[in-house]
Amino acid sequence: MNRHGPGTPSVPGIHCGGCLRKVEQALSQLEAVAEARANLTTRSVIVRWTDGVPPPAMIEALAEAGHAAHLGDGNAPDADKTQADLVRALAVAGFAASNIMLFSVSVWAGAGESLRTLFHALSALIALPVLIYSGRVFYRSAWSALRHGRTNMDVPVSIGLTLAFAMSLYDTIHGGPHAYFDAVTMLLFFLLVGRTLDHAMRSRARQAVSDLARLTAHGAMVEQKDGSQAYLPVDELRPGMTILLAAGERVPVDARILCGASDLDRSLVTGESAPQPATPGMIVEAGTLNLTAPLRLETSAAAGESFLAEMTRMMVAAEAGRSRYRRLADRAAALYAPLVHSAALLAFLGWALASGDIHRAAVIAVAVLIITCPCALGLAVPIVQVVAARRMFEQGIMMRDGAGLERLADVDTVVFDKTGTLTWGRPQLRQPSVPHLGLAAALAAHSRHPHARALAEAWQGPAPAIIDVREIAGRGIEGRLGPDIIRLGRPDWALDRPEDIPASAPFPCTSLSRNGALLAHYHFDDCLRPGARAAIRALTDQGCASVILSGDHAAAVARTAAQLDVTQFEADLLPAGKVQRLEALAAAGRRTLMVGDGLNDAPALAAAHVSMAPSDAADVGRQAADFVFLRAPLGAVPCALSIARRAKTLIRQNFALAVLYNAIALPFAVAGLVTPLAAALAMSASSLAVVANALRLNANAARRDRMARKHPQPAVRFAE
Amino acid sequence: MSILLYLIPISFLLGAAGLAAFLWSFRSGQYQDLDGAAERVLFEDEDGPAG
């Protein structure tokens, strides 16, 4: 039986037909894969494979074909369903609106009475099923809001649509001159455009974010009692199982090390930047990366009780505060709906008392409802957010939903995590020129240890030929150069004479020795992300204070803070501590943007007013964040902030435009001067005005880009 | 005016045909990968939209 795997790999690098071919062929050659189909628009591949086998090595096969890939969640096909419903509703409404408009134009052009009644009746026949099919989106949302004792934009929309249709139907049956069927369907069409855009933006961002999910701990190789090995998904792991963890894999659930010696990278879990040696008996949290050698672990908690699950629980608790936020459009609707409804009611009562003609009063009340129906209001917010999301996408920033964009515009304090966010989260060589680097790099090329990788990266020249290389996990690498034994690793292992071993230095240290005699010490530090200093400066210019909250040691945090001119920082914080600091900031009236990448940041990301994570962050953290930035430089943070603020200004302007239009049209409607023709014209004009205003976000940005090309800014130095 | 007896159903049917064509193409996944379809036309060994 074929099925979608747990992942549709996302391959950001594909950009042409040749890549499509290469990716599909590389995957089809894998044994278990039944079918692979690449999608150039979403930059992903849908892979079906035979059930009952561990996931094929898709990521490795793609890497061999020259494409870096991430593994997705594989739930994308379900998420598309609402979107498809909306598009279908939109298509039906568009069809109905254009057909009814044909009839309406001939009525306005002066069709005779019998023909007019015929056309009205035909319009009603088309409008009724469409109102039910396409309008159910609004009816359902309005009903669920009312049932919870709230109102939203869809309540006035639903009432307006229903009353206008009922009134027009009554007039059609009695041969009246005016019917608003065209207004009803056009209103539906415009509102559905806004709704569809809003949803498309959100689902695209959500999919892109979930596609980034990495291979981390989707399963583990379990050693069973009879000695055989089986691959089990994370959910089926129980305490007391023995699992085998290869070098380069992440720990699936909390566990204790049984045997093996290796090095662990806990930067995603605790924020500690320096790698740690692993020894038997040590407790390791889920998410820890095993670096150099295989380990045997005994699981100490099921997936639902491990460190990861604890973080998830804290996130849920922290998120409660954020759900109190009400979106701009809903707040506007709360003010707007009572106003419109009382205006319509007053018009009805006024005309009924003044003229005594109940029918005429009802027609005027319906005209008031239609002319004030929040057509432009329904488009005002989503259209700006779609344009803003597009601008951000061009800058490599993914936006999860529009509410995040609204909250981002209010931010006055930016809270950074240190390891992996302000810094790379992996060590780099501190000294630019040190002796014997070529020799060290030649040895280092054989290891996965982060220090070894940094050394190998730092050397570009020719390397001496070293033979008999072996890695001693937790200590270092050893090899032979001619007759000499060369060692690279922990100073107390590489060096024979204790006086050569450096006293505890502020930076982690690795030593190179020949036959036990010192050749060189190499010091490592976690380097800043490119653009970090420029980003902090830009945030200060935009009026935002910067704060660092880190789980790393005080000395390392103080050093990074000094490099970045940040005066507020705290170190040695547990996940709960970060949440407390954020709550304290919120209590002091600050609106915080949390930028972080680790598992330990996830609760803080959920607790902050709005949050942002780099694309290489831990899965939970990335799922919690409102924004994810795909490119390395930290300049994404001020960039997103300025786009959000600009978008908020445009949304305000759009609201102002919509209100202004209503303020002008309302007196005419109350005076009974609005015919169906006038209503149709006014509605289209206001919608177009709002859309055109939203597109200015693009135009302004394009102008700024041109300016920037003419007067280039001094480039940000890569290594600060 | 009896011409309307033909013209109105014809205009309605043409519109409905357009709608049906759109719904069919949407359902069969022809809008899922607009960029990819432009490239796939150059491949030799396959045809038909995404499954």
Side-chain angles (χ1 to χ4, degrees), chain A residues 384 646-655 693-694 696-697:
Chain A
V384 173
R646 178 94 190 103
K648 185 168 184 183
T649 316
L650 282 172
I651 289 177
R652 290 237 167 105
Q653 286 174 1
N654 273 353
F655 275 147
N693 189 44
R696 292 196 314 134
L697 186 65

Side-chain angles (χ1 to χ4, degrees), chain A residues 442-512:
Chain A
L443 259 182
H446 296 276
S447 170
R448 280 180 198 256
H449 193 281
H451 289 178
R453 286 201 166 169
L455 276 171
E457 269 172 31
W459 178 253
Q460 246 82 67
I466 298 180
I467 52 167
D468 291 348
V469 178
R470 62 194 184 99
E471 180 163 17
I472 296 112
R475 307 219 158 148
I477 326 164
E478 187 181 78
R480 275 198 310 126
L481 180 69
D484 300 324
I485 302 281
I486 310 287
R487 281 181 167 185
L488 175 72
R490 278 167 51 185
D492 53 352
W493 170 74
L495 305 174
D496 285 350
R497 296 192 311 168
E499 59 266 35
D500 286 339
I501 299 170
S504 65
F507 307 108
C509 173
T510 292
S511 301
L512 181 70

Side-chain angles (χ1 to χ4, degrees), chain A residues 397-471:
Chain A
I397 306 164
M398 295 295 199
M399 175 163 104
R400 191 183 295 272
D401 69 358
L405 186 75
E406 291 172 14
R407 290 196 305 261
L408 182 59
D410 303 332
V411 160
D412 56 13
T413 308
V414 184
V415 179
F416 288 99
D417 164 53
K418 183 184 82 76
T419 313
T421 306
L422 287 173
T423 67
W424 275 115
R426 56 189 154 93
Q428 288 178 339
L429 193 60
R430 267 184 67 77
Q431 312 105 303
S433 63
V434 274
H436 304 292
L437 187 55
L439 182 59
L443 259 182
H446 296 276
S447 170
R448 280 180 198 256
H449 193 281
H451 289 178
R453 286 201 166 169
L455 276 171
E457 269 172 31
W459 178 253
Q460 246 82 67
I466 298 180
I467 52 167
D468 291 348
V469 178
R470 62 194 184 99
E471 180 163 17

Side-chain angles (χ1 to χ4, degrees), chain A residues 15-18 20-21 24-25 35 37-43 46 48 80 83-85 87-88 91-92 95 99 102-103 115 118-119 122 126, chain B residues 1 4 8 11-19 22-23 26-27 31-37 39-40 42-51:
Chain A
H15 63 274
C16 67
L20 284 186
R21 276 310 277 278
E24 287 176 1
Q25 279 171 358
E35 189 198 347
R37 178 134 189 136
N39 187 323
L40 190 59
T41 313
T42 57
R43 309 265 159 105
I46 295 176
R48 291 165 214 274
D80 279 342
Q83 176 71 16
D85 276 349
V87 170
R88 258 180 247 127
V92 170
F95 159 77
N99 263 291
L102 280 179
F103 295 131
L115 199 57
L118 172 69
F119 281 0
L122 285 172
I126 300 176
Chain B
M1 275 301 159
L4 283 179
I8 289 175
S11 83
F12 183 84
L13 284 178
L14 282 176
L19 179 68
F22 172 79
L23 289 179
F26 183 73
R27 181 190 300 266
Y31 297 95
Q32 274 174 7
D33 185 10
L34 295 172
D35 300 333
E39 302 281 347
R40 275 176 202 281
L42 301 171
F43 295 177
E44 283 182 356
D45 55 339
E46 49 176 293
D47 50 7

Side-chain angles (χ1 to χ4, degrees), chain A residues 263-329:
Chain A
D263 296 275
L264 298 176
D265 177 354
R266 301 169 87 173
S267 61
L268 270 188
V269 182
T270 59
E272 257 170 295
S273 47
Q276 292 180 324
T279 48
M282 200 171 145
I283 303 290
V284 286
E285 297 94 345
T288 306
L289 180 64
N290 179 23
L291 289 169
T292 43
L295 288 174
R296 271 167 78 95
L297 306 174
E298 185 187 53
T299 55
S300 57
E305 293 151 18
S306 65
F307 178 71
L308 197 71
E310 176 63 30
M311 289 298 106
T312 316
R313 267 195 293 280
M314 283 175 70
M315 274 161 61
V316 173
E319 234 164 19
R322 190 191 279 180
S323 63
R324 279 198 293 274
Y325 180 83
R326 293 189 65 200
R327 296 192 56 172
L328 274 175

Side-chain angles (χ1 to χ4, degrees), chain A residues 187-206:
Chain A
L187 206 59
L188 262 179
F189 180 69
F190 279 131
L191 289 169
L192 277 168
V193 168
R195 193 60 55 98
T196 313
L197 283 179
D198 188 45
H199 193 273
M201 172 188 75
R202 270 185 291 162
S203 68
R204 192 182 313 142
R206 205 178 310 122

Side-chain angles (χ1 to χ4, degrees), chain A residues 560-594:
Chain A
T560 307
Q563 279 175 313
L564 292 169
D565 295 330
V566 175
T567 49
Q568 296 184 60
F569 60 89
E570 285 189 71
D572 292 317
L573 288 174
L574 293 173
K578 292 196 182 192
V579 173
Q580 271 172 13
R581 299 300 185 283
L582 282 170
E583 279 165 357
L585 282 170
R590 311 283 282 273
R591 301 289 174 83
T592 50
L593 163 64
M594 172 82 204

